[in-house]
Amino acid sequence: MTEDFPRPLPEADESSKPFWDGAMAGQLMLMRCSDCRRWRLPSRQHCDNCLSDQFTWEPASGKGTVRTFGVMHQKYHPGWAAIAPYNVTIVELEEGPRLPTNIVGAENSAITVGMPVIVEFEQHEDVALPKFRPA
Ligand SMILES: [Zn+2]
């Protein structure tokens, strides 16, 4: 990526730092409940299933399927003008959580609901973004 990348990038906070550190290392890391073993995304204090506040960070498979997607034609921010139309996709991970992302390595017209995909990481200077390509 170029130095003048004009799109805003996410910044880790205390609760999401392991997710972003994992991405920089090429690994999709998710919170997992230590009691009922359910995966959590986004990271948060309590488990939705059993309300436990105990968790570990564990590597996810990086595999998922397209749950839904849209193709953005409107240029809401100058940073995205050059890449429009672009897709905004919800990938349902094999572990269960759904991750908002983009599909890469496929034309927007080739994206279908239920399509199997696998993670890859778009590296920037201080952050890596999880994107998905057809598996
Ligand atoms: Zn739980």
Side-chain angles (χ1 to χ4, degrees):
M1 282 298 138
T2 59
E3 291 290 317
D4 59 352
F5 187 75
R7 282 171 255 164
L9 292 166
E11 290 181 26
D13 60 19
E14 188 179 337
S15 69
S16 66
K17 190 173 186 310
F19 176 89
W20 297 112
D21 286 350
M24 281 298 277
Q27 183 70 62
L28 188 63
M29 297 295 292
L30 299 179
M31 269 183 152
R32 192 169 194 187
C33 179
S34 299
D35 291 311
C36 75
R37 305 296 294 148
R38 186 166 293 195
W39 300 85
R40 281 185 226 175
L41 181 73
S43 54
R44 54 189 173 273
Q45 186 68 40
H46 292 94
C47 174
D48 287 346
N49 188 50
C50 73
L51 301 180
S52 171
D53 63 356
Q54 302 299 304
F55 62 88
T56 56
W57 283 91
E58 297 185 19
S61 68
K63 297 175 186 170
T65 56
V66 172
R67 176 74 182 194
T68 189
F69 69 99
V71 177
M72 305 297 287
H73 293 266
Q74 185 67 41
K75 298 170 179 74
Y76 292 108
H77 183 285
W80 278 267
I83 63 166
Y86 59 93
N87 70 81
V88 176
T89 301
I90 303 297
V91 166
E92 186 166 284
L93 301 173
E94 197 172 66
E95 292 79 7
R98 296 174 185 166
L99 178 65
T101 183
N102 310 109
I103 301 300
V104 296
E107 296 294 324
N108 291 329
S109 60
I111 302 170
T112 57
V113 170
M115 182 167 83
V117 291
I118 189 158
V119 74
E120 66 175 39
F121 294 92
E122 186 181 279
Q123 296 284 335
H124 297 275
E125 189 173 339
D126 297 319
V127 69
L129 304 178
K131 308 278 178 147
F132 286 77
R133 68 171 48 252

